[in-house]
């Protein structure tokens, strides 16, 4: 059956091709996954699968996995309508579960997880240490208070996250579908659907589970499905049920009685393969992928269908492909972890020094001091040193403060909220705000070096619109004002009114009134032009109600053309194998269809031969201009030139062009030709060649009618965004499943590829050697002197070996286009570095015809060998793998599929928001995080190091410099808010300036704001500050007294002095670091200082002492000490000494080596008067000789199909009544597509929602049954 | 073509066209609020380091700090201070004998006297300090070895001192005051005589007002409230091991006895550094004559406190004070230095700014 259906065979052929890519790559990577592969008993399983399974088993260890891995399923046996039979196999039901906790498991599991974090565990350990009296140098509350705070904040966050997951699970699980139970159809929740059930789907519903198609409303048991969710391909695909099941039709009795048994493969993640058998009444039928509907697909243009659930819920191919969400970490995170380890080392060193110091001190001084300070029993000096070591571990623990982690989380959360709140990333048309789905990756947005973008639905809107045309040498489609200036088209531009044509598609928008005038004037060429478009295509029309036209086109371009033609008064109405009925300016005419000379990618054109109702024979041809122009009559010379000019202009704007020509045929000649054609088409040998010859012969001396220009509509602002991102030195790679030509064209129209580029390399070789050679030669062309061996920097922290391929600079700009087949070879481990080197030298890289897995592999490759942060952006389920693989995944929401969004880290509605996400939010987040870390480490090191210096003066006894309360509250209260305020509000320059100078983004990519060097600088700075903070008060207080002669050099006064100096010094330092003082910052900074004094005076007050005598021994210190002028003079001196060198140093750097930030900030300072002028958005107009259209890449089309009698046998005969009835019709059309453009997956929206004239978006709402 | 419809207006959310059907009303719209906070447009002060702010700041600091420094230095220099070490570790020292017999419970106190001469008269109140060196009053185990609740007059703590006081917590009976600090109370007695015409005239030393008011009145309280007869209150306790007398016999004056004995309070305020001085007595000025005129003096020491074992030193210091406290030239010198360096830095930066200042200009922002 499938053979008689060319389209499906095309589709499956392609899938086969991709299968080979899949398996070849899996063969190449076999060694990675062998162990688990053998376990799963599959020789060609993907490494992906294996990883997934491993994770699964780990998860189930915690009881998290809903479906415990049972024994390896070897073969699945299902009996339809027989739950008792299916039950013992324990197949997964259709419920999905992505949440982690439930009410009871939350606390233990969450705590368990939290204590797996090294920091939390460390603090737990500290707490234990503090309970040992010999060691305890601090009270227990100094650790417990922060720890409890941290744990509860994190737990709250986890809980809300999980609640959201529960919610989305519930939403999906509670979708309704009709299930056949006990002989009747019942509406059931998705989660109650079980394997073996028969369910009924209706048009535009999501497929509930992986189904075996049984029967459908469409003749021959076909169904149309859209697989965009799964593989991103938007053209409809056809699936066909077995005849034996299809015969049941929608008879509930026979379906209920159906007891077929399915034997098939166990669940796996291969979308393109299915093997199994169906046993019905003892007969065996083989099952393949063509009979399976996968979960995630959408049923289209099919009224209903019945299916048998084969895999449910987590076992569906969709879910198997999704994998578990991996925990992403930012590079700052990783560095922080490394730093924390270093700090631990550092801490150990400090404690060891002090421990040894204590040992020595006890030996030399302590033993003689016994009279005053007896030792505890059994403690000798060495043991005392050992105990002191641990005491100092407690005291110096503030170098790794627990509040660091909380603060980091809070900052990230805050910055995520900014993304959610940003009105400039809110898309009004679909009411979609941007969303930060992961709140832990913000600062990485400021470090992106590579962007991997999907094409369809991401860069483009997946809408084709008929935009311009050239008819008989005149160009239509542009709007001019009275002065003859071309106008930019905006929302306000006057639209062409198609109301004269009741059959018009109201969503079609056209602005040039002259074309309608020309049609109304009945200019013959214009009529001929549209007549051709109405006749020469393979679109099929469906008229459900009167005037309710539904076009089904194989190529969206064709759909767009036919829809446009329909509006201009040439309505394609219906076709039979022998005829085409169109309504020409209100008059129905039936053309006899004599032949279709179909597309293929060699011919790059298609023709039809029709006989008009008047009996005139005519050949209409449309195709690639170069091909058509070769076959024109000599008389067209002049027009050819004019049209070429127009075509160049169209191409320059990135439109997809087709040339149109016709030819009147001689009756006698045609009869002869037709006989030969019949002969050739029944020939057994060389049929194609002979047919081609015949076509060639008849398609010549044609008369040029004009050309069409169809826009593959880019999303708004895509070229500008790409330009901006390129200026920010971000490399953009487009990874698309689309055809090479389409991808290339989009590359040009969105400014990635440019005419001015030195060269655009195309790699499309078929064998490994060729690919390698092509890559090599491309590389050598770019950089002839390049070394054969790539510069690889091996490095690694803590035994993790990393290899980094150095960036290589090239002169000139190059582009690289590689197709999926070549990519499979290029991604081989032996060639991947070669590929990477070549690709990274190019300014733009486009990978076309890639599978979802390859997308992920490309991302992984860059991740592996480039020390760069990657971002993947896409909208479809085919992008999920790449979104998950990249450091940051961005989903375009508002489009039909939610898969990409659900697995993404950030989502918004339009590609153009990416520049705001990166250049503004990302940059700020990164800046803030780095400033935060630098400052945080500074303030804590400074705080801690003072203890280190003090140790030398207190016999290394682990005596703290500060009051215990101060130690407890320092990070929590005194210094927390100012730094939080800075990290939430700081901006070096505002968003407009960020856009004005995208170069500001570069420091993030280079890790300039927070690196190991800056950390070391931080440590040195703290070292200096702590020396000042200890020794200035020391010297100032040494042997001195108050102004009334009383004590001031006592421990408590000294502690107060030191901590006051510290607080003020770090506040001043904060003031230096902060670039953006909002009211909130002012309040936080001054408030914290005020809070410090308030708390200090409170805690040192009589009342506190009298109530909690043991806890507040510092009574009176503040009053007695802070009333002394010498104390304040000391504070002034100390803080000034801390800050002044920093000011001088920074000022010097701004003078001598200003960074880009300094420069821009200086400029902003100068230009305070007003915002920067908006960057001119000049419309790019250029001429190009590069053409594209589906004609260039099209494979065999519907041609055979539409002439096949079998296909159309059940289509009702065309109505004989005229298309226009003067009485008018009340029923409106069901509109296909959007914007009057054409989308292959368009579905009638009007049935559900009231139309607005502006409805040029795709509704986001899921069909809820 | 449609790119032209991409404009800033729409980005701001003010979509001019009809809203999509998803937007039913303002209530249901997910459009974020247009507040300055949420849109990160809060008005802010954005200071940057420019020559116009940094250089004047440096000069100003220089100009302010140097006079302060000079003032401090002069003040400090005007303070009279006399220090004498009476540890007596050297054989020539008058206290050599006493220092050699170090025992806490000498029944017969050892006394020695040290003579010295004041070259300059001491005006105003003169403060007499004892100074200890190499005495680790800031050692962690030492610092925490006290019970503030006991010292605050808590009777339960009196009977059951805190564990922190170990090993001076109980000596059969609970020790009051407990802990190592109290146990090591400085117990030398100093008396000052002026030699005038061959006779030694004792100079009256005031022992009132040597402790912080808060310590004397809030932090330290005798158990049993204002009961002037302390002996019964402390009857269930025992004296610290090293003390010769129980705590209620520290002084005869009930206002200065027991826990609120000022010598005891001063001692209990532990020092921050191993070398420290503590106020011992005040010599009140009387009339117009110098408090301590030029001349020869004798310090009579009742030598009880052994420091020999840990190589400590004991000093007696006589000092006048000023508004900034005792003598300490450091602050003045530091201020002068910092001020000068700031001034100098200002000059250097000024020169650099003039030479390279235009580098910060934005003219060369690469695009």
């Amino acid at each position: 059956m499938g053979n008689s259906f060319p389209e499906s065979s095309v589709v499956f052929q392609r899938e086969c091709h991709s299968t080979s890519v899949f398996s070849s790559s899996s063969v190449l990577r076999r060694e990675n996954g062998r162990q688990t592969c053998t376990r799963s008993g599959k020789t060609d399983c993907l490494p992906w699968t294996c990883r997934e399974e491993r994770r699964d088993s780990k998860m189930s260890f915690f009881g998290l996995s809903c479906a415990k891995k049972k024994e390896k399923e070897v073969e699945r046996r299902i009996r339809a309508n027989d739950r008792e039979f299916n039950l013992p196999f324990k197949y997964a039901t259709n419920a999905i579960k992505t949440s982690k906790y439930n009410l009871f498991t939350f606390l233990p599991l969450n705590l368990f997880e939290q204590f797996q974090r090294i920091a939390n565990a460390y603090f737990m350990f500290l707490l234990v240490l503090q309970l040992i009296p010999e060691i305890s140098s601090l009270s227990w509350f100094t650790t417990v208070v922060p720890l409890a705070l941290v744990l509860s904040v994190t737990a709250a966050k986890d809980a809300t996250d999980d609640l959201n997951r529960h919610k989305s699970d519930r939403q999906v699980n509670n979708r309704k579908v009709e299930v056949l139970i006990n002989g009747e159809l019942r509406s059931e929740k998705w989660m109650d659907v079980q394997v073996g059930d028969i369910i009924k789907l209706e048009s535009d519903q999501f497929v509930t589970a992986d189904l075996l198609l049984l029967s459908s409303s469409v003749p021959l048991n076909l169904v149309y499905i859209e697989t965009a969710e799964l593989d991103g391909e938007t053209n409809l695909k056809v699936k066909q049920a077995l005849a034996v099941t299809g015969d049941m039709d929608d008879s509930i009795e026979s379906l209920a009685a159906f007891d077929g048994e399915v034997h098939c493969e166990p669940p796996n993640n291969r979308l393109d393969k299915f093997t199994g058998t169906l046993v019905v009444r003892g007969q065996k039928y083989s099952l393949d992928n063509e009979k399976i509907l996968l979960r995630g697909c959408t049923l289209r243009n099919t009224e209903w269908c019945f299916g048998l659930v084969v895999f449910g819920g987590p076992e569906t191919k969709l879910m198997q492909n999704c994998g578990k969400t991996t925990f992403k970490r930012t590079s700052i995170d990783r560095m922080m972890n490394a730093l924390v380890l270093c700090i631990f080392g550092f801490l150990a060193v400090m404690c060891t020094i002090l421990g040894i110091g204590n040992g020595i001190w006890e030996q030399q001084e302590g033993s003689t001091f016994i009279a005053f300070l007896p030792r505890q029993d059994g403690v000798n000096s060495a043991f005392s040193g050992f105990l002191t070591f641990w005491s100092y571990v407690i005291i110096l623990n503030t170098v790794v403060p627990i509040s660091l982690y909380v603060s980091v989380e809070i900052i990230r959360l805050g910055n995520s909220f900014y993304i959610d709140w940003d009105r400039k990333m809110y898309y009004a048309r679909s009411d979609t705000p941007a969303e930060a789905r992961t709140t832990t990756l913000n600062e990485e947005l400021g470090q992106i070096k590579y962007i991997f973008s999907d094409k369809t639905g991401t860069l483009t809107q997946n809408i084709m619109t008929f935009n311009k045309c050239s008819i008989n040498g005149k160009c239509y489609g542009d709007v001019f004002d009275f002065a003859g200036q071309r106008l930019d088209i905006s929302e306000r531009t006057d639209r062409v009114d198609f109301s004269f044509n009741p059959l018009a598609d109201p969503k079609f928008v056209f602005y040039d009134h002259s074309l309608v005038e020309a049609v109304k004037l009945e200019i013959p060429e214009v009529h001929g032009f549209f007549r051709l478009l109405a006749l020469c295509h393979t679109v099929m029309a469906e008229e459900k109600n009167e005037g309710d036209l539904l076009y089904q086109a194989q190529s969206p371009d064709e759909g767009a053309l036919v829809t446009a033609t329909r509006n201009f008064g040439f309505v394609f109405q219906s076709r039979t194998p022998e005829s085409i009925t169109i309504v020409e300016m209100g008059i129905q005419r039936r053309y006899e269809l004599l032949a279709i000379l179909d597309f293929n990618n060699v011919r790059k054109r298609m023709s039809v031969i029709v006989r008009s109702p008047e009996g005139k024979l005519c050949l209409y041809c449309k195709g690639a201009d170069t091909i058509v122009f070769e076959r024109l009559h000599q008389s067209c010379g002049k027009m050819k030139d004019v049209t070429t000019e127009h075509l160049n202009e169209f191409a320059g704007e990135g439109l997809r062009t087709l040339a149109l020509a016709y030819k009147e045929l001689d009756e006698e000649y045609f009869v002869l030709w037709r006989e030969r054609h019949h002969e050739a088409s029944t020939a057994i040998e060389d049929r194609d060649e002979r047919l081609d010859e015949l076509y060639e012969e008849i398609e010549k001396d044609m008369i040029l009618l004009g050309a069409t220009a169809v826009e593959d509509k880019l999303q708004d602002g895509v070229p500008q965004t790409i330009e901006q991102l390129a200026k920010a030195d971000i490399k953009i790679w487009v990874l698309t499943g689309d055809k090479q030509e389409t991808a290339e064209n989009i590359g040009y129209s969105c400014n990635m590829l440019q005419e001015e580029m030195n060269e655009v390399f195309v790699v499309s070789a078929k064998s490994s050697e060729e690919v390698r050679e092509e890559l090599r030669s491309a590389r050598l062309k770019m950089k002839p002197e390049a070394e054969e061996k790539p510069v690889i920097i091996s490095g690694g922290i803590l035994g993790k070996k990393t290899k980094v391929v150095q960036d290589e600079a090239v002169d000139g700009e190059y582009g690289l286009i590689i197709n999926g087949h070549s990519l499979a070879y290029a991604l081989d481990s032996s060639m991947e570095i070669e590929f990477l080197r070549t690709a990274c030298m190019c300014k733009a890289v486009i990978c076309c015809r890639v599978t979802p897995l390859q997308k992920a592999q490309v991302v992984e490759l860059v991740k592996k060998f480039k020390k760069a942060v990657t971002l993947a952006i896409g909208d479809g389920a085919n992008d999920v793998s790449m979104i998950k693989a990249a450091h940051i995944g961005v989903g375009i929401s508002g489009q039909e599929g939610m898969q990409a969004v659900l697995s993404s880290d950030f989502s918004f509605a339009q590609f153009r928001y990416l520049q705001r996400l990166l250049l503004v939010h990302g940059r700020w987040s990164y800046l803030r995080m780095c400033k935060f870390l630098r400052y945080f480490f500074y303030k804590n090191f400074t705080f801690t190091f003072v203890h280190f210096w003090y140790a030398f003066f207190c016999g290394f006894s682990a005596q703290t410099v500060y009051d215990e309360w101060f130690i407890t509250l320092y990070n929590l209260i005194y210094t927390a808010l100012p730094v939080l305020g800075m990290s939430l509000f700081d901006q070096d320059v505002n968003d407009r300036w960020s856009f004005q100078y995208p170069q500001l983004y570069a420091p993030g990519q280079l890790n300039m704001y927070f690196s190991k060097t800056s950390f070391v600088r931080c440590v040195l700075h703290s070292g200096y500050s702590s020396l000042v903070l200890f020794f200035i008060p020391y010297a100032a207080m040494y042997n001195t007294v108050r102004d009334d002669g009383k004590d001031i050099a006592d421990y408590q006064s000294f502690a107060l002095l030191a901590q006051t100096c510290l607080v003020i010094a770090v506040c001043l330092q904060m003031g230096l670091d902060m670039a953006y003082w909002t009211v909130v910052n002012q309040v936080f900074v001054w408030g914290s200082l005020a809070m410090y004094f308030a708390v200090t005076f409170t805690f040192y007050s009589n009342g506190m002492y009298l109530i909690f005598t043991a806890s507040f021994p510092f009574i009176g210190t503040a009053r007695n000490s802070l009333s002394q002028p010498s104390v304040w003079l000391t504070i002034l001196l100390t803080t000034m000494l801390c800050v002044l060198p920093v000011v001088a140093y920074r000022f010097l750097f701004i003078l001598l080596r200003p960074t880009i930030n300094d420069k821009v900030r200086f400029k902003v300072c100068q230009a305070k008067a007003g915002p920067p002028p908006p960057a001119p958005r000049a419309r790019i107009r250029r001429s190009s000789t590069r053409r594209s259209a589906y004609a260039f890449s099209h494979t065999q089309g519907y041609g055979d199909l539409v002439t096949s009698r079998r296909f159309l046998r059940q289509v009702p005969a065309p109505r004989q009544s005229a298309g226009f009835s003067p009485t008018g019709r009340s029923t409106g059309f069901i509109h296909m597509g959007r914007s009057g453009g054409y989308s292959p997956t368009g579905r009638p929206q009007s049935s559900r929602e009231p139309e607005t004239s502006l409805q040029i978006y795709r509704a986001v709402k899921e069909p809820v049954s | 073509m449609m790119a032209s419809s991409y404009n800033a207006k729409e980005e701001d959310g003010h979509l001019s066209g009809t809203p999509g059907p998803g937007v039913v009303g303002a209530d249901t719209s997910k459009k974020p609020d247009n507040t300055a906070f949420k849109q990160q447009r809060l008005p802010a002060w954005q200071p940057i380091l420019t020559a116009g702010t940094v250089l004047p700041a440096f000069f100003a600091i220089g100009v302010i700090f140097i006079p302060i420094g000079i003032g401090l230095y002069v003040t400090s220099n005007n303070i009279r201070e006399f220090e004498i070490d009476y540890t007596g570790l050297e054989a020539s020292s008058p206290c050599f004998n006493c220092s050699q017999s170090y025992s806490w419970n000498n029944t017969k106190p050892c006394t020695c006297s040290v003579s010295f001469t004041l070259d300059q008269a001491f005006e105003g109140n003169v403060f007499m300090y004892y100074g200890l060196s190499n005495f680790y009053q800031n050692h962690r185990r030492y610092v925490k070895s006290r019970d503030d609740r006991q010292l605050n007059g808590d009777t339960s703590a009196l009977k059951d001192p805190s564990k922190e006081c170990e090993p001076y917590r109980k000596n059969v009976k609970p020790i009051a005051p407990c802990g190592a600090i109290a146990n090591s109370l400085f117990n030398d007695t100093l008396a000052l005589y002026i030699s005038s015409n061959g006779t030694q005239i004792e100079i009256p030393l005031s022992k009132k007002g040597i402790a912080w008011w808060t310590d004397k009145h809030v932090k330290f309280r005798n158990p049993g409230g204002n009961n002037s007869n302390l002996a019964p209150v402390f009857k269930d306790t025992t004296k610290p091991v090293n003390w010769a007398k129980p705590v209620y016999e520290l002084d005869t004056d009930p206002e200065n006895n027991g826990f609120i004995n000022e010598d005891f309070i001063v001692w209990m305020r532990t020092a921050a550094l191993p070398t420290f001085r503590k106020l011992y007595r005040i010599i009140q000025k009387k009339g117009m004559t110098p408090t301590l005129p030029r001349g020869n003096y004798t310090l009579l020491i009742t030598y009880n406190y052994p420091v020999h074992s840990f190589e400590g030193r004991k000093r007696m210091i006589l000092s006048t004070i000023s508004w900034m406290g005792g003598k300490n030239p450091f602050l003045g010198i530091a201020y002068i230095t910092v001020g000068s360096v700031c001034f100098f830095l200002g000059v250097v930066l000024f020169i650099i700014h003039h030479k390279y200042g235009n580098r910060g200009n934005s003219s060369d922002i690469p695009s």
Side-chain angles (χ1 to χ4, degrees), chain B residues 274-287:
Chain B
T275 299
F276 58 89
R277 59 173 69 168
K278 286 183 182 294
L279 186 54
Y280 184 66
R281 295 290 182 262
I282 302 171
I283 308 166
Q284 303 285 353
K285 82 170 187 182
K286 38 188 193 291

Side-chain angles (χ1 to χ4, degrees), chain A residues 243 251 461 568 604 725 808 1068 1249:
Chain A
S251 138
Q461 301 183 20
F568 284 104
K604 295 183 168 45
L725 295 176
E808 291 162 283
L1068 274 177
E1249 285 161 351

Side-chain angles (χ1 to χ4, degrees), chain A residues 596-740:
Chain A
I596 292 183
L597 288 59
D598 200 6
F599 273 114
N600 66 35
N601 49 6
V602 183
R603 282 166 44 76
K604 295 183 168 45
R605 64 190 183 272
M606 87 168 272
S607 303
V608 291
I609 299 171
V610 293
R611 193 194 300 278
S612 71
E614 290 81 28
K616 261 206 297 190
L617 266 183
C618 205
L619 176 140
Y620 290 110
C621 175
K622 64 176 179 188
D625 49 37
T626 46
I627 306 283
V628 174
F629 282 10
E630 279 169 19
R631 291 166 177 76
L632 292 182
H633 197 261
Q634 297 116 334
S635 63
C636 299
K638 193 162 165 246
M639 201 181 129
K640 204 160 88 178
D641 293 343
V642 180
T643 311
T644 308
E645 219 168 90
H646 290 156
L647 282 169
N648 285 345
E649 200 178 297
F650 296 159
E653 289 170 33
L655 304 174
R656 295 151 70 98
T657 56
L658 280 180
L660 312 183
Y662 78 105
K663 177 190 183 182
E664 288 179 8
L665 291 179
D666 190 36
E667 184 73 47
E668 287 156 37
Y669 168 74
F670 177 69
V671 172
L672 273 176
W673 183 86
R674 199 178 188 182
E675 266 172 31
R676 284 161 61 208
H677 177 249
H678 181 73
E679 213 173 283
S681 58
T682 50
I684 296 156
E685 280 171 33
D686 302 333
R687 180 163 57 192
D688 290 346
E689 284 77 14
R690 287 175 65 183
L691 278 176
D692 277 347
E693 265 169 47
L694 273 174
Y695 291 168
E696 205 56 47
E697 182 191 314
I698 202 165
E699 291 169 321
K700 65 181 182 196
D701 294 335
M702 298 184 290
I703 310 292
L704 183 62
L705 267 173
T708 60
V710 168
E711 187 182 357
D712 184 0
K713 277 181 89 170
L714 287 179
Q715 299 222 3
D716 293 345
V718 165
Q720 292 90 332
T721 305
I722 287 182
E723 196 186 329
Q724 278 280 48
L725 295 176
K727 272 196 205 157
D729 208 16
I730 300 173
K731 294 195 169 170
I732 302 176
W733 294 22
V734 170
L735 309 176
T736 174
D738 226 322
K739 303 179 223 23
Q740 183 181 323

Side-chain angles (χ1 to χ4, degrees), chain A residues 782-783 785 807-811 841:
Chain A
M782 283 187 280
K783 197 178 182 185
E785 73 277 14
D807 274 329
E808 291 162 283
V810 286
D811 297 330
M841 284 180 181

Side-chain angles (χ1 to χ4, degrees), chain A residues 453-523:
Chain A
S453 173
D454 176 40
K455 184 191 80 71
T456 316
T458 307
L459 298 176
T460 65
Q461 301 183 20
N462 199 19
I463 296 175
M464 297 289 172
T465 47
F466 176 78
N467 206 318
K468 284 180 188 180
C469 62
S470 161
I471 305 175
N472 199 24
K474 192 170 182 313
C475 179
Y476 297 95
D478 280 321
V479 189
F480 298 91
D481 64 7
F482 297 113
Q485 287 288 313
R486 181 154 24 196
L487 291 176
D488 276 349
I489 286 164
S490 68
E491 300 274 339
R492 286 176 297 281
T493 312
D494 195 15
R495 282 195 203 117
V496 174
D497 177 20
F498 289 107
S499 60
F500 69 91
N501 178 4
L503 288 167
D505 181 341
K507 275 182 292 167
F508 178 76
V509 177
F510 204 74
Y511 295 97
D512 188 359
H513 293 265
S514 61
L515 186 54
V516 178
E517 297 305 315
V519 173
K520 285 182 178 164
L521 287 173
E522 306 202 358
I523 297 171

Side-chain angles (χ1 to χ4, degrees), chain A residues 423 467 489 999 1036 1050 1129 1257, chain B residues 1 4 21 32 269 328 335 366:
Chain A
R423 279 163 83 90
N467 206 318
I489 286 164
Q999 309 91 295
D1050 64 300
L1129 285 171
Y1257 63 93
Chain B
M1 204 166 201
S4 54
R269 180 155 287 280
N328 188 353
Y335 263 89

Side-chain angles (χ1 to χ4, degrees), chain A residues 1101-1117:
Chain A
S1101 68
N1102 301 356
M1104 289 302 265
Y1105 181 76
L1106 294 178
I1107 301 168
F1108 310 103
T1109 308
S1111 302
F1112 299 96
F1114 271 58
I1115 171 179
T1117 312

